[in-house]
Amino acid sequence: MKRTRTAALALATAAAALAPVLVQQATAAEGTYLQDPAGGEKTMKSMWTEDEMHKVEGQFRFHPGVQYKTVSRPGHAAAPDYERKVGDPGTLAWQPSYEFAWSVSDSTVVKKAVTLKEGEHPIVVHAVLRRADRSAVAEVRKELTGKPATGREKVAGGRRIACDTGEYTVEWSVTRSGYGTLKGSLRWDSSCEQYRTAFSQDHGKQR
């Protein structure tokens, strides 16, 4: 039976081939992603309010989410009845999702000195996927209420993006109402060529 899989279930060869292209100094357990700002788990952009008593930090991860169907291939010559499932390059497509992280700090007495991260906060996350001509092809916006001072939220994109449709820009923002808005962007190439190559190599194997 044919079925759709995500990047997390991609063939090991495909994941290895894509790692240098899709990951900027970080690799998620669930699959590859692009991160702004580049760096580790705790790397964030930050801003202070004008009175320097409140700070907002933000991080964004774009998960391309490659998807494909599998097809059956005959087994080894010694066991031709043993079929194996391999990725079908003709069904490759992207199903992006967007991950936001935030941290809200409040100074106590002294500006930018001793800070606390506590209480509940209203957080608004937003992202737009744009073509090279700046037209928007996908957009997500979510209002999060009663969130802790430090948190992370992943939002499904809900939009299928065809392979090899060029380079895109992802614009994102994290807003803490009354404090400010952090913004950023990153670029993403929608080429699926390396997955096709990996699938092609796998098709030739007899297990």
Side-chain angles (χ1 to χ4, degrees):
M1 179 182 296
K2 292 182 178 181
R3 55 199 175 98
T4 301
R5 294 183 177 181
T6 63
L9 299 179
L11 298 170
T13 52
L18 276 178
V21 176
L22 292 180
V23 179
Q24 294 180 348
Q25 302 179 18
T27 301
E30 61 202 344
T32 55
Y33 58 80
L34 292 169
Q35 179 175 304
D36 183 30
E41 177 81 16
K42 297 182 180 180
T43 305
M44 292 189 172
K45 292 185 174 181
S46 65
M47 65 174 291
W48 286 88
T49 53
E50 289 187 9
D51 62 6
E52 299 184 339
M53 293 298 291
H54 310 283
K55 181 172 71 168
V56 181
E57 297 174 276
Q59 180 196 86
F60 174 74
R61 291 176 178 175
F62 175 72
H63 297 262
V66 72
Q67 293 186 335
Y68 58 89
K69 292 182 179 180
T70 58
V71 293
S72 297
R73 290 287 185 268
H76 192 275
D81 294 333
Y82 179 75
E83 290 188 343
R84 57 198 174 91
K85 298 291 185 179
V86 296
D88 179 3
T91 63
L92 278 166
W94 302 102
Q95 189 76 39
S97 59
Y98 310 85
E99 183 179 352
F100 306 83
W102 66 87
S103 180
V104 180
S105 305
D106 299 301
S107 294
T108 58
V109 185
V110 181
K111 296 179 179 180
K112 292 188 176 181
V114 180
T115 60
L116 297 176
K117 296 180 180 180
E118 60 184 11
E120 295 184 346
H121 300 266
I123 304 293
V124 177
V125 295
H126 179 244
V128 182
L129 182 64
R130 298 187 185 277
R131 295 187 181 92
D133 64 3
R134 303 297 300 157
S135 60
V137 296
E139 184 172 6
V140 296
R141 184 180 186 278
K142 191 171 184 180
E143 296 183 12
L144 311 173
T145 59
K147 289 296 180 177
T150 300
R152 185 177 292 274
E153 185 87 5
K154 191 172 183 180
V155 183
R159 178 70 184 272
R160 182 178 180 275
I161 305 296
C163 287
D164 310 309
T165 49
E167 192 171 80
Y168 293 78
T169 298
V170 189
E171 300 173 350
W172 65 274
S173 67
V174 171
T175 301
R176 196 301 189 185
S177 179
Y179 285 47
T181 298
L182 276 169
K183 298 180 179 181
S185 66
L186 53 80
R187 304 182 79 175
W188 168 60
D189 187 343
S190 64
S191 171
C192 290
E193 183 58 32
Q194 288 178 287
Y195 270 108
R196 291 194 187 91
T197 299
F199 289 160
S200 177
Q201 292 172 347
D202 185 75
H203 286 181
K205 295 180 181 178
Q206 297 294 320
R207 297 176 183 176

